């Protein structure tokens, strides 16, 4: 009897980063404070609808954080936020008046009127 061993499949990232988002992460990492290991997305409770997107520098990786390697540096997704973000796309958008990360989240059941928070 022959045993066939197949290598484990690589799990897809919880979040898709567009090339513009990856470029912005690279720009952030280029001017990051000393001791920074990456940029992290989390979904703290706040706003009218309950959850908001927060992107911050981090100085240490937590064991349950999702880790996404980008050309410009490591991007982390907070372990407690992953379930709210699976299948989402993160983009960086700039126009004449605003610039910021924009999220397309299939898990969001609604957003507040100002667009600052969402609910699942």
């Amino acid at each position: 009897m022959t045993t066939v061993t197949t290598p484990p499949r690589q799990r897809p990232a919880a979040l898709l980063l567009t090339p513009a988002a990856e470029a912005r992460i690279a720009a952030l990492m280029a001017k990051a404070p000393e001791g920074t290991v990456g940029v992290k997305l989390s979904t703290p409770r706040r706003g009218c609808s309950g959850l908001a997107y927060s992107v911050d520098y981090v100085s240490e990786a937590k064991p349950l954080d999702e880790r996404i390697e980008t050309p410009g540096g490591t991007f982390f997704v907070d372990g407690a936020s992953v379930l709210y973000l699976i299948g989402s796309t993160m983009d960086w958008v700039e126009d004449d008046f605003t610039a910021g990360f924009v999220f397309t989240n299939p898990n969001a059941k609604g957003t507040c009127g100002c667009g600052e928070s969402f609910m699942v």
Side-chain angles (χ1 to χ4, degrees), residues 89-115:
T89 300
M90 180 175 156
D91 194 9
W92 176 259
V93 177
E94 291 184 44
D95 63 26
D96 291 339
F97 301 103
T98 62
F101 287 110
V102 175
F103 299 88
T104 305
N105 186 342
N107 306 300
K109 302 296 183 226
T111 59
C112 67
C114 64

Side-chain angles (χ1 to χ4, degrees), residues 7-119:
R9 285 187 322 179
Q10 185 168 350
R11 185 171 50 108
L15 178 78
L16 173 68
L17 300 170
T18 66
E22 287 185 347
R24 182 60 183 166
I25 291 166
L28 289 169
M29 289 303 295
K31 61 181 183 180
E34 188 175 330
T36 299
V37 297
V39 176
K40 182 176 181 175
L41 171 63
S42 59
T43 55
R45 295 199 174 278
R46 71 171 178 242
C48 310
S49 294
L51 297 170
Y53 300 105
S54 180
V55 179
D56 302 289
Y57 290 119
V58 290
S59 57
E60 67 177 302
K62 302 243 166 108
L64 296 179
D65 288 348
E66 179 85 13
R67 183 184 195 107
I68 301 171
E69 296 298 334
T70 74
T74 306
F75 183 75
F76 297 95
V77 179
D78 176 62
S81 300
V82 169
L83 289 177
Y84 305 132
L85 299 168
I86 291 174
S88 296
T89 300
M90 180 175 156
D91 194 9
W92 176 259
V93 177
E94 291 184 44
D95 63 26
D96 291 339
F97 301 103
T98 62
F101 287 110
V102 175
F103 299 88
T104 305
N105 186 342
N107 306 300
K109 302 296 183 226
T111 59
C112 67
C114 64
E116 294 293 320
S117 62
F118 69 100
M119 67 182 102

